[in-house]
Amino acid sequence: MPAWLACWLALNLAAVLVFGYDKAIAGGTRRRVPERTLLTIALIGGSPGALFAMGFFRHKTAKPAFRRAMMVIVAAQLILLVLVYRANR
């Protein structure tokens, strides 16, 4: 397995774990994971894991601003993927 793929998979696993942890402590007395941190994990490549975790844990799905930010990140990443693909054809 290429190193970049292993890193990407690890990042997405981390996204799922962080979203799950934040959901688990929601409503308690522990300090929550800031939304900025959750979005940063998605931005640096963990968006598939973040999207999976949002649906699986039903976490942050009722916050329109957060969902919009996630969709902007995903759209930007998809556009970037298409541009990189076209440049390397």
Side-chain angles (χ1 to χ4, degrees), residues 1-11:
M1 174 184 306
W4 68 267
L5 181 57
C7 289
W8 183 75
L9 291 172
L11 180 60

Side-chain angles (χ1 to χ4, degrees), residues 55-83:
F56 185 78
F57 298 117
R58 295 186 183 169
H59 190 47
K60 300 291 185 186
T61 56
K63 297 194 81 174
F66 188 87
R67 282 196 339 254
R68 273 192 304 273
M70 277 296 300
M71 292 305 111
V72 167
I73 289 170
V74 169
Q77 289 175 342
L78 288 173
I79 290 168
L80 183 61
L81 267 173
V82 168
L83 292 174

Side-chain angles (χ1 to χ4, degrees), residues 4 7-19 37-54 66 70 73-74 77:
W4 68 267
C7 289
W8 183 75
L9 291 172
L11 180 60
N12 280 278
L13 176 60
V16 172
L17 294 175
V18 172
F19 271 77
T37 301
L38 298 174
L39 291 170
T40 299
I41 292 169
L43 181 65
I44 63 174
S47 56
L51 288 173
F52 170 79
M54 285 177 68
F66 188 87
M70 277 296 300
I73 289 170
V74 169
Q77 289 175 342

Side-chain angles (χ1 to χ4, degrees), residues 22-32:
D22 191 51
K23 176 65 174 189
I25 64 171
T29 58
R30 289 185 179 161
R31 189 166 179 213
R32 300 278 306 275

